Amino acid sequence: MNILNTRVVNTLVVATMIAAWPLGLRGQSSSGQDSSAAVPAATGPDTATQVIEDPPLSGLDEPSFEPGFGTRSYLLPKAQISEAVDSNSSSTLVSSTAVKDVTRGLGSLTLQKVWKVHPLDIDYTGGVSWYHGKNGKIYQSHSLGATQRLLWRTGQMALRDSFSYLPQGSFGFDSFGGASSGVAGGLGGGITGGGAGGGLFGSGQFGSISNQPRVTNMSIVDVSQAFSPRTSIVIAGGYGWTDFLNNPQGYIQSQKTVGQAGYNYKLSKRDQIALSYAFQEFHFPKAGAGNVNVNVWQVFYGHRISGKLDLSVGGGPQWIHSYSPPFLCSVFVPNTGTCAVYGPNPTPSRAFVSAAGRAVLNYRSSARTSMNFAYSYYVTPGSGFFAGANTNAIRYAVTHKLTRHLNVNTDTGYSRSSRILSVPTSTANNAKNYSFWYAGGRLRRQLGRQFGAFASYQYDAFDFGSGFCSNANPGCSRSYGRHVGLIGLDWSPSPIRLD
């Protein structure tokens, strides 16, 4: 807990530095300079729409069909309350289910503060879920994302931090009970880095069994520099970690360091290509887990039609090096996370080549209908089940406006993770892979200018591959299913202008 407290304090310090950064620059930007003679920043507010719609393909900024409220500074609060029925929130891998009533309240606050050369964006979403009945519990959920930019005429530097405290993994949690949490910012844990909740800079939390609170954080510094109207480079570096709280099951903690460099070239107004190289290092503090290093080379192609379509696809080889100790745990003490018997490790180190890549499609067919598709295949920390994993993840979502006041959303996702380090764990035993998928839908009715009512449903399914159940335990179950249905009310007031 002391280590966790230190990390949380460090995270808050980073967030405070990001928030305080513009205060120091504000005086500099207005000290004795003639604003009429200043050269406008190429990525500043004067061309903000262009930057949002067509950022460098190898960067972390993703294009948006909706540039929000443009160059205005504003504060936007939202809130919702809901009542749900949850079929299997805290059970383990068993065929029976335990149905519980859940009352949940969520609130969010979005800040956009526009300065000439150092705009600031902060999104916070948080709340509680109260599970009623015998052995009832209250779980907190928090997600904080902050981005501070320093702009100049031909580029920018961005400081980003994404923090989350969630009872489950981020993949699918933003759709708890349906296709959307319904509040700004969401609870997905921040920076995706290229689709499907994953990417090189993602938190890598794909799949969960019941409620297991976890804290994740990712801090990133990235610099974009244009050399001509067609060419630019992006250099980025980041550090992230995941800690599982109250962890008798033995989920694996992880730490990740990422560095990436990319070169971008615009073929035309709508087409862009990019080359990138990235290095990832995964460390697992759990005794005897080892570490993983990954070198990734990728080629990308992007096609964008302003306000209509965004397509980016890319991929290439990744060279994976894994290092683990000569002795591993072969038998765990049940429900303790401790080892009973150690045995020799047949593969203490190895190197191999596999593929890596991503595909993202955002398409707005009309003012009433839009769809999002994302696929990624990268090395991830393993979601606490494995010490490093090759993870396929796919997500598809559709939003449609039935009438002026009635909207419907659908959202589904699937992930499959295969372990890299041959490290049996008390949560996954000797399973070599696991799969997780979810599907949900949400119907929302606008009630007046600021209020709305919604109803939603979601199903989650988790399954371990071969090796999870041993011959000594023929009654073992390796699957997990969960149904969540809810109804609720939300409040969405008008933005509060700050200038």
Side-chain angles (χ1 to χ4, degrees):
M1 287 301 296
N2 290 334
I3 296 176
L4 175 61
N5 291 336
T6 300
R7 288 178 176 170
V8 171
V9 169
N10 291 338
T11 298
L12 294 176
V13 169
V14 171
T16 302
M17 291 175 63
I18 291 176
W21 177 283
L23 300 180
L25 293 176
R26 189 174 186 179
Q28 299 176 19
S29 63
S30 59
S31 57
Q33 295 185 6
D34 183 1
S35 59
S36 62
V39 178
T43 52
D46 293 339
T47 56
T49 302
Q50 179 182 352
V51 173
I52 293 173
E53 292 179 349
D54 197 22
L57 196 58
S58 66
L60 284 102
D61 291 318
E62 297 182 356
S64 173
F65 294 156
E66 299 178 359
F69 298 95
T71 60
R72 295 179 179 178
S73 298
Y74 68 89
L75 190 66
L76 178 62
K78 289 188 177 182
Q80 70 168 225
I81 186 169
S82 62
E83 191 70 21
V85 176
D86 194 334
S87 70
N88 204 9
S89 62
S90 56
S91 298
T92 55
L93 296 171
V94 293
S95 57
S96 61
T97 59
V99 178
K100 286 187 175 293
D101 296 329
V102 187
T103 300
R104 188 173 73 150
L106 285 176
S108 71
L109 196 61
T110 300
L111 169 67
Q112 176 178 291
K113 183 60 179 177
V114 177
W115 286 286
K116 182 65 178 179
V117 294
H118 39 79
L120 172 67
D121 295 283
I122 299 177
D123 280 319
Y124 168 76
T125 302
V128 296
S129 300
W130 178 20
Y131 288 79
H132 303 276
K134 186 178 180 180
N135 300 321
K137 291 185 178 180
I138 295 179
Y139 293 95
Q140 298 185 46
S141 301
H142 301 277
S143 177
L144 175 65
T147 301
Q148 173 70 71
R149 303 176 193 272
L150 177 61
L151 311 175
W152 55 90
R153 188 170 185 273
T154 57
Q156 70 168 11
M157 180 178 72
L159 305 175
R160 311 172 195 258
D161 193 80
S162 176
F163 173 85
S164 70
Y165 172 72
L166 301 176
Q168 303 167 35
S170 56
F171 187 62
F173 186 76
D174 204 30
S175 304
F176 178 90
S180 173
S181 65
V183 291
L187 286 165
I191 303 165
T192 63
L200 296 173
F201 290 91
S203 64
Q205 297 299 300
F206 294 91
S208 305
I209 300 175
S210 70
N211 288 322
Q212 171 56 55
R214 68 204 66 198
V215 178
T216 66
N217 189 78
M218 189 74 196
S219 300
I220 302 172
V221 178
D222 59 285
V223 177
S224 302
Q225 175 63 54
F227 295 103
S228 73
R230 289 181 177 268
T231 61
S232 64
I233 63 169
V234 178
I235 300 175
Y239 174 77
W241 50 269
T242 299
D243 279 347
F244 294 88
L245 309 181
N246 302 321
N247 187 22
Q249 298 89 349
Y251 286 88
I252 301 177
Q253 326 277 20
S254 63
Q255 300 166 359
K256 178 173 72 171
T257 303
V258 185
Q260 178 177 278
Y263 172 80
N264 308 273
Y265 182 79
K266 289 187 177 181
L267 300 172
S268 66
K269 183 178 180 180
R270 295 181 175 180
D271 299 284
Q272 186 177 168
I273 60 173
L275 302 174
S276 75
Y277 165 76
F279 176 77
Q280 296 175 284
E281 181 180 18
F282 298 89
H283 177 66
F284 307 95
K286 177 179 183 285
N291 57 75
V292 176
N293 296 333
V294 187
N295 294 271
V296 188
W297 296 267
Q298 297 182 97
V299 179
F300 294 102
Y301 166 76
H303 180 71
R304 291 163 181 166
I305 301 176
S306 176
K308 185 76 173 180
L309 177 134
D310 169 55
L311 169 68
S312 65
V313 294
Q318 58 180 356
W319 189 14
I320 303 172
H321 299 253
S322 64
Y323 307 91
S324 54
F327 294 95
L328 297 174
C329 183
S330 57
V331 179
F332 287 93
V333 179
N335 300 321
T336 65
T338 60
C339 184
V341 179
Y342 283 91
N345 181 7
T347 56
S349 64
R350 63 188 183 121
F352 60 97
V353 177
S354 71
R358 76 173 195 241
V360 179
L361 172 63
N362 298 317
Y363 177 64
R364 173 175 288 179
S365 61
S366 68
R368 300 176 62 182
T369 305
S370 62
M371 60 86 68
N372 308 93
F373 171 85
Y375 169 79
S376 67
Y377 181 52
Y378 291 111
V379 174
T380 67
S383 305
F385 301 108
F386 299 143
N390 264 319
T391 298
N392 280 281
I394 188 170
R395 182 181 183 186
Y396 178 72
V398 177
T399 300
H400 179 66
K401 191 172 185 178
L402 297 173
T403 67
R404 180 181 177 184
H405 299 293
L406 190 62
N407 298 327
V408 63
N409 307 64
T410 62
D411 186 10
T412 184
Y414 172 82
S415 70
R416 179 178 175 84
S417 298
S418 302
R419 75 179 188 184
I420 294 178
L421 290 173
S422 300
V423 181
T425 66
S426 57
T427 52
N429 295 333
N430 201 34
K432 294 179 173 56
N433 57 68
Y434 77 83
S435 60
F436 171 79
W437 73 272
Y438 70 91
R442 181 174 186 262
L443 188 67
R444 183 182 182 275
R445 177 71 161 81
Q446 187 71 28
L447 304 175
R449 297 184 60 182
Q450 297 186 353
F451 292 91
F454 60 91
S456 60
Y457 166 79
Q458 179 170 311
Y459 176 72
D460 297 344
F462 187 101
D463 183 72
F464 279 115
S466 61
F468 180 78
C469 297
S470 64
N471 295 331
N473 188 12
C476 165
S477 175
R478 64 184 191 184
S479 299
Y480 168 88
R482 181 178 184 181
H483 301 265
V484 179
L486 61 83
I487 58 173
L489 296 172
D490 61 59
W491 173 63
S492 304
S494 300
I496 303 170
R497 291 191 57 177
L498 301 179
D499 54 12

